[in-house]
Amino acid sequence: MNKIHIVTDSTADLSKEQIEKYGITVVPLTVAFGNESYLIGVDLTAEEFYQKLVSSRELPKTSQPSPEQFRRVYEELGQNGDIILSIHISGKLSGTLSSAETAATMVPMKVIPIDTLNASQGVGLTVLTAAEAVSREKTLEEILTLINKSIASTFSVFSVDTLEFLQKNGRIGKAASLLGSILQIKPILYADPEGMVAPYDKVRGKSKVIPSLVKSALKNVSQERPVNLSVVHTGSEEGAKILLDELKKHYNITVLHMGMVGPAIGAHIGPGAVGLMIQPSFDSLIQM
């Protein structure tokens, strides 16, 4: 059988344990503060990034890997006859997928670029689905079917603590940012079916954020089957723990991850955000 490799990018926010368990290859994006550039997850950890984000006068800028970076990874990873599943952040949110698609035409092995239509561990959950399928020696057709099921059934939703970074990155107008701050409006955002970040809800005051996130999960993912769950944050570990405790009251959780959103996404949403990514468990996906 041809060997199947899993490649993703650093926006998937996979933990070291998740990467090592399945032998996943992660191609890093770059984040820059002024003239200082860092490879995400290589030169700069999430914790270090948020320290810089708070203290730096420079707004961080992110950039996707080049096709050449992907080409080198593909050629180092696989031999002619191998198959590489290159699974990435939504093409609507980053040029990373486009770089992977270009690189796929430059190498002799078969590379299948895949758009998860998601970000952060919304990407990560689909990567892990693919990796688990490979570890169970599923056929390529079966793996691709499970990947498609994973993409279609993953629900990602999060809140931001401040509208400042969305405004600075051009996602909302300055007036909306100012009004939201005055009224203590906390927007609830989600990855929509087209792969865009879109408004889901808005609440007034921090106390209503967690209930809104939990309600959105219950509306979109059934409690009748076990789930895989990722709870993420940008420095709001206490909020993430409260969110997790609430979700545990409703779901039978098969695979659980809690961690920080990496710099590639954190640069756009700022500190204090909290969110969740949830999907049916691997065995549930098989039965769907």
Side-chain angles (χ1 to χ4, degrees), residues 180-257:
S181 298
I182 292 173
L183 297 178
Q184 284 296 297
I185 298 297
K186 304 296 180 184
I188 309 297
L189 308 171
Y190 82 117
D192 74 12
E194 302 299 318
M196 295 290 290
V197 173
Y200 186 87
D201 191 12
K202 58 182 179 181
V203 297
R204 189 170 179 178
K206 276 189 175 183
S207 64
K208 297 181 180 178
V209 167
I210 301 300
S212 177
L213 293 173
V214 173
K215 182 180 178 180
S216 70
L218 294 173
K219 183 177 179 180
N220 288 277
V221 178
S222 172
Q223 303 172 66
E224 296 179 1
R225 57 171 69 99
V227 299
N228 297 334
L229 172 68
S230 295
V231 174
V232 297
H233 64 93
T234 60
S236 180
E237 186 173 3
E238 181 180 352
K241 288 179 178 178
I242 294 171
L243 175 58
L244 175 58
D245 288 342
E246 289 301 312
L247 291 167
K248 282 181 174 178
K249 297 176 183 177
H250 302 283
Y251 288 104
N252 175 11
I253 303 169
T254 300
V255 175
L256 172 64
H257 167 81

